[in-house]
Amino acid sequence: MDLPGSIHDFLLVSLGLVLILGGLGVVLLTNPIYSAFSLGLVLVCISLFYILSNSHFVAAAQLLIYVGAINVLILFAVMFMNGSEYSNDWNLWTVGDGITSLICTSIFISLITIISDTSWYAIIWTTRTNQILEQDLTSNADFFLPFEFISIILLVALIGAIAVARQ
Amino acid sequence: MLEHVLVLSAYLFSIGIYGLVTSRNMVRALMCLELLLNAVNINFITFSDFFDNRQLKGNIFSIFVIAIAAAEAAIGLAIVSSIYRNRKSTRINQSNLLNK
């Protein structure tokens, strides 16, 4: 979006903070319904972030599909299977949890190192000359075949899901 | 600017990996899988915004990722619901049905 720079930065920082807290909430909250609602908050914030990045169609698709369909499915699943999970006390911090947190922290630190060591502005300068007219999903000839396959995949996957989940 | 957004998506990715590996509930594992896919989508959209402002190929590919994630979430939740119907429990370490 063409906002003034300071408003753009302020919105980005606030969305980033909500995303950080929401991601922690999905993983660390003990009640699975709280975790599912925190996932919904994360998905809505990601959609607002897409609007800030000039990707309005993907923002609308994210709101419709992720928040409207996938998050609702997850909430239904959480509400159906919630009986005996409440009695688990969460003080079972096993050795595996510690090892996984060490590995995930090392993955994160290595990714930060790679990101800060790459010269992004040289890449921007070399791709500046390759810009042609703006196109969309149906006019770009590279994406006809994945588009048809996506429709078949969705059809087959949803028929399969209904067949598995029936009584 | 670009690096901050990439660091944010890297953070979501590593939080998703941690949640996916250490969750004892199957539905929470599927939720962390959606976090992983959304982190990858943020990367695609950011690169498409910075490098490919005319042709938007990153945007188109992230539409495909969203559609695949929807199909996979539907199938995963169908499997989890049928396991719950048979076993009355959704702990991950009891899913050794193929282990006979």
Side-chain angles (χ1 to χ4, degrees), chain A residues 29 43 92 124 132 165, chain B residues 24 28 34 38 51 54 85:
Chain A
L29 286 172
L43 295 173
L92 306 169
I124 286 182
I132 61 177
Chain B
R24 296 178 184 91
R28 189 187 294 265
E34 301 306 321
N38 272 301
F51 296 138
R54 289 292 147 203
R85 213 184 304 133

Side-chain angles (χ1 to χ4, degrees), chain B residues 15-48:
Chain B
I15 282 280
I17 289 180
Y18 174 74
L20 180 60
V21 171
T22 67
S23 71
R24 296 178 184 91
N25 192 358
M26 284 182 211
V27 187
R28 189 187 294 265
L30 285 171
M31 285 194 265
C32 296
L33 197 55
E34 301 306 321
L35 263 188
L36 283 175
L37 289 167
N38 272 301
V40 168
N41 262 345
I42 290 179
N43 257 348
F44 272 125
I45 298 290
T46 306
F47 281 133
S48 166

